[in-house]
Amino acid sequence: KSFFNHTAYLSCSFPNSQKTDIKDLRVFWQKGAIEVVHEVYYGQEKHDNLSPKYINRTKMDMDKWTLQLLNAGIVDEGQYRCIIQHRDKGSLKVIHTSECSLQIIANYSQPEIAWLHTGELKPKEYLNLSCSSSSGYPKPKHMVWLVASGNKTERFMSSMDVSQDAVTKLYSVTGKLNVTVPTNTLINISCLLHLGEQLWSLVSVPLSI
């Protein structure tokens, strides 16, 4: 996993038990079947075969056999393969391959509750609220409203309006809630954005009515 616009670290997992000199190896990374991400040819970085979108965006740590991918974006998600070849009697022989999967994470803004109605609030009328969060990734799983009154808390699943930026591929999300205006009692309403089992959830500042 790597954060959006940060450096992603992709490990080659090469033990190099033979202590082979980098000058006797060809090391290259590729994404998918055809995109060459980085190439080190007998100790020298080689740029001839690189896919254009990776030029000047990669660095190889020769000691740790790790590739650094700068300014990682959503389009960089996917499977990467590291292939190491050894120069043996004039020809190149594959001595190591490994794969890793890159997932990008972007922090959503804290969910924010907004009023959608105009005019004075009256008891037993419906209160219309929205909850919005922006500039995050991956796509959120669901949104839940928590309505607390006294020692009781009700949960309401919210339908989500999700949009994706055409350039950054980051998501923005809005959900809505209609609740009855309480009579002579205080309620606290919060909005919870759930991002997935392996990630985290974000909660809004509570709205007190």
Side-chain angles (χ1 to χ4, degrees):
K1 291 183 174 72
S2 176
F3 281 102
F4 181 75
N5 270 347
H6 285 58
T7 299
Y9 295 88
L10 307 174
S11 175
C12 223
S13 306
F14 180 50
N16 196 19
S17 53
Q18 304 296 319
K19 306 297 181 187
T20 308
D21 193 321
I22 190 73
K23 292 178 181 176
D24 292 323
L25 299 174
R26 179 191 180 215
V27 183
F28 67 99
W29 284 86
Q30 67 181 45
K31 183 185 180 193
I34 56 172
E35 286 190 299
V36 178
V37 178
H38 193 86
E39 182 176 6
V40 178
Y41 194 75
Y42 300 150
Q44 299 295 317
E45 292 190 339
K46 191 177 178 184
H47 304 285
D48 305 5
N49 302 317
L50 297 190
S51 173
K53 68 182 180 184
Y54 293 109
I55 293 174
N56 297 325
R57 288 186 59 218
T58 56
K59 291 193 295 186
M60 181 84 178
D61 184 333
M62 305 295 184
D63 296 323
K64 297 180 180 177
W65 303 94
T66 298
L67 183 72
Q68 299 176 32
L69 177 58
L70 310 179
N71 300 318
I74 309 304
V75 294
D76 295 318
E77 279 196 322
Q79 289 288 128
Y80 290 79
R81 176 179 292 176
C82 169
I83 301 167
I84 300 178
Q85 297 173 321
H86 181 235
R87 179 164 50 183
D88 184 23
K89 296 176 183 178
S91 62
L92 285 166
K93 178 184 176 183
V94 175
I95 60 170
H96 178 81
T97 63
S98 65
E99 291 191 0
C100 64
S101 178
L102 176 62
Q103 180 185 353
I104 302 298
I105 301 167
N107 284 330
Y108 281 84
S109 62
Q110 183 179 18
E112 193 171 320
I113 297 175
W115 303 75
L116 296 179
H117 69 282
T118 56
E120 184 183 351
L121 272 180
K122 295 180 181 178
K124 297 188 178 179
E125 284 187 345
Y126 275 101
L127 171 66
N128 296 321
L129 301 174
S130 72
C131 178
S132 300
S133 179
S134 62
S135 300
Y137 193 89
K139 191 175 182 178
K141 295 297 181 184
H142 55 256
M143 182 182 283
V144 177
W145 291 88
L146 305 176
V147 180
S149 175
N151 59 1
K152 183 180 71 171
T153 299
E154 293 182 275
R155 296 169 62 92
F156 299 94
M157 290 293 291
S158 174
S159 59
M160 294 190 301
D161 179 17
V162 181
S163 61
Q164 187 175 27
D165 187 278
V167 177
T168 65
K169 305 301 180 185
L170 298 179
Y171 290 104
S172 293
V173 57
T174 299
K176 294 181 180 178
L177 174 71
N178 293 328
V179 290
T180 307
V181 177
T183 55
N184 302 321
T185 183
L186 176 71
I187 64 169
N188 286 309
I189 301 175
S190 301
C191 166
L192 185 72
L193 186 64
H194 186 57
L195 302 177
E197 300 302 329
Q198 303 299 318
L199 298 170
W200 54 88
S201 297
L202 296 173
V203 64
S204 69
V205 173
L207 176 68
S208 297
I209 302 171

